Amino acid sequence: MLRFETAGESHGQCLVATLTGLPAGIPVSLDFLNRELWRRQQGYGRGGRMKIETDRVEIVSGVRHSKTIGSPIAIIIENKDWKNWTEALPVEDVDGAEDKRKPVTRPRPGHADLAGCIKYNFHDARYVLERASARETTARVAVGALAKTFLAEFGVGILSHVIGVGGVRLERQAAWEELVSLSQRDEVTLGCVDADTEAKMKEFVDQAYRTGDTAGGVFEVVAHNLPPGLGSHITWDTRLDGRLAQAIVSMQAVKGVEIGFAAEGAAAFGSRVQDTIHYNREERQFTRGANRAGGLEGGMTNGQDILVRGFLKPISTLRRPLESVDLATREPALAAYERSDVCVVPAAGVIGESMVAIVLAQAFLEKFGGDSIEETRRNFEGYKEQVKSF
Ligand code: EPS
């Protein structure tokens, strides 16, 4: 079973991730992992923190001579900002530490602050926000990059693009090649494949900047070249659609998820929604009339591209703060503001890719298993033969 965990706080020493269950023999490129971390840091609307950090992985176990060795992989990503927080967040209490705290007593509507304080019996939201922060997603992206590396061995690619910012929507489908070239860009604006739409998205973000507000949006993750039959229809918790939905909604600020054209489908007649089935005799292959199901039927991959969309609410830390209550005085007060991003939809797309990659790598290993990449490959090739001669 492939599993991962993250630890680390936004202004602590570092972020940590462990990934257990990858087969031995997968070639690992630190350049690729770091490039993925770089992609997560980009986008028009990112805040001051991204000017401080240059995220880079340090792998401390599980990879030797550029290959996985089967043992748990442990990753560390340094927080450069930690040097500004060593006195405010010491591990060991020392004399005078109390005065150096940076308490947050005016919870931000929409953030974890208030619920977390009530739950953990804190009267200062500092510890809650330190862990709830989307800084944690740096560790997810590092793990996701390893999952992508594993899947790439079998020709599977996972990329994303931004299809909505505020009220602006991309009105067409993007081709896989467009996502590939988007991912290779060295400058990221809003991660949209269409220049005119992206310009309108930028205007929306500018408006948020001008008014001390924030902007949400929608990203789409596409998983390309998957074999049919990952996941299963037989039990609720093996259904791949459910597992992908959980992975996407677990991301900070994501409030909704859509697989395929779910919202459109709910408003249309059934005859217009299902992807008709055809057979190409020459290629001896089943083909489909469309991909409205987003590559998943009955909780299994059907061989078409997986399409998963995440709906991101606007970030809850506002420069022009909303009404709240001071936890100490219980008097009305404006919510806390230190600094924040204005829009993070392109970064969320990269995180979404990582979450999808991790879930698909899990499903892949459930089906094909293997302690070494050679063993996984043999099992995979055997299944491919079976599918071909079906
Ligand atoms: C983030 C780092 C954070 C925020 C953001 C994501 O840094 P800081 O809190 O020091 O500004 O920029 O986190 C949030 C949006 C949030 O609500 O906590 C990052 O590395 O992505």
Side-chain angles (χ1 to χ4, degrees), residues 19 26 41 45 61 64 76 78 103 122-123 153 231 239 269 277 306 308 315 318 339 365 371 377 388:
L19 175 65
I26 303 164
Q41 290 198 271
S61 76
R64 300 292 160 192
I76 292 170
E78 181 198 359
F122 296 146
H123 289 81
E153 288 290 306
R239 292 179 76 105
F269 287 111
I277 301 172
I306 287 188
V308 192
I315 291 223
L318 279 89
R339 71 175 164 216
L365 281 166
D371 294 308
R377 200 182 303 285
K388 219 193 246 166

Side-chain angles (χ1 to χ4, degrees), residues 41-348:
Q41 290 198 271
Q42 303 310 301
Y44 189 70
R46 288 297 247 156
R49 180 70 184 273
M50 290 305 103
K51 296 194 177 77
I52 298 174
E53 305 295 344
T54 313
D55 293 335
R56 297 189 74 77
V57 292
E58 189 187 340
I59 296 186
V60 295
S61 76
V63 178
R64 300 292 160 192
H65 301 102
S66 300
K67 285 192 175 156
T68 56
I69 59 170
S71 61
I73 300 172
I75 300 173
I76 292 170
I77 301 137
E78 181 198 359
N79 276 327
K80 288 196 176 155
D81 206 14
W82 162 241
K83 66 175 187 304
N84 304 315
W85 290 82
T86 44
E87 294 191 323
L89 291 166
V91 171
E92 208 173 20
D93 215 2
V94 287
D95 280 347
E98 205 54 33
D99 306 333
K100 309 243 165 73
R101 276 176 187 258
K102 295 187 188 176
V104 176
T105 59
R106 291 168 290 127
R108 291 159 294 173
H111 216 288
D113 302 348
L114 182 58
C117 276
I118 295 169
K119 178 174 167 66
Y120 287 90
N121 200 24
F122 296 146
H123 289 81
D124 163 7
R126 171 58 62 196
Y127 300 150
V128 175
L129 73 91
E130 285 294 325
R131 180 59 185 163
S133 166
R135 180 91 195 118
E136 183 260 348
T137 59
T138 312
R140 299 198 200 196
V141 170
V143 171
L146 289 168
K148 277 187 179 183
T149 302
F150 165 68
L151 291 167
E153 288 290 306
F154 304 93
V156 177
I158 299 161
L159 289 170
S160 68
H161 62 131
V162 171
I163 61 171
V165 169
V168 184
R169 285 282 175 284
L170 176 70
E171 299 292 353
R172 67 171 177 85
Q173 281 290 101
W176 175 253
E177 293 67 32
E178 287 182 290
L179 303 193
V180 172
S181 71
L182 196 66
S183 74
Q184 290 165 348
R185 282 190 200 166
D186 286 327
E187 249 174 78
V188 180
T189 309
L190 283 159
C192 182
V193 294
D194 184 84
D196 291 343
T197 311
E198 190 169 65
K200 289 189 192 123
M201 290 173 170
K202 190 165 173 284
E203 275 172 33
F204 192 91
V205 178
D206 283 335
Q207 197 182 332
Y209 264 119
R210 275 198 302 277
T211 53
D213 222 315
T214 54
V218 189
F219 61 84
E220 179 176 73
V221 179
V222 181
H224 187 63
N225 206 23
L226 285 160
L230 298 185
S232 167
H233 62 295
I234 64 164
T235 48
W236 72 271
D237 53 351
T238 53
R239 292 179 76 105
L240 197 56
D241 40 12
R243 291 158 67 182
L244 287 166
Q246 198 272 335
I248 294 292
V249 178
S250 78
M251 289 167 52
Q252 294 83 340
V254 171
K255 296 296 272 185
V257 63
E258 180 180 44
I259 293 173
F261 292 83
E264 269 178 37
F269 287 111
S271 56
R272 304 215 144 245
V273 171
Q274 319 306 334
D275 304 323
T276 49
I277 301 172
H278 311 276
Y279 191 69
N280 181 329
R281 285 194 180 277
E282 268 159 41
E283 306 265 321
R284 297 183 54 196
Q285 237 179 19
F286 290 97
T287 62
R288 308 303 292 261
N291 183 17
R292 298 187 194 97
L296 291 157
E297 288 172 308
M300 292 171 276
T301 54
N302 63 10
Q304 301 225 75
D305 284 357
I306 287 188
L307 308 176
V308 192
R309 296 187 200 94
F311 292 71
L312 208 68
K313 70 175 177 180
I315 291 223
S316 50
T317 311
L318 279 89
R319 206 173 72 235
R320 201 186 56 202
L322 296 174
E323 285 176 43
S324 183
V325 168
D326 194 302
L327 294 179
T329 64
R330 308 292 157 116
E331 292 294 326
L334 292 178
Y337 178 78
E338 275 164 9
R339 71 175 164 216
S340 187
D341 306 287
V342 167
C343 176
V344 291
V345 191

Side-chain angles (χ1 to χ4, degrees), residues 334-371:
L334 292 178
Y337 178 78
E338 275 164 9
R339 71 175 164 216
S340 187
D341 306 287
V342 167
C343 176
V344 291
V345 191
V350 178
I351 303 156
E353 291 172 29
S354 303
M355 295 312 295
V356 167
I358 293 163
V359 171
L360 291 180
Q362 273 169 349
F364 206 91
L365 281 166
E366 274 161 26
K367 182 146 181 62
F368 303 115
D371 294 308

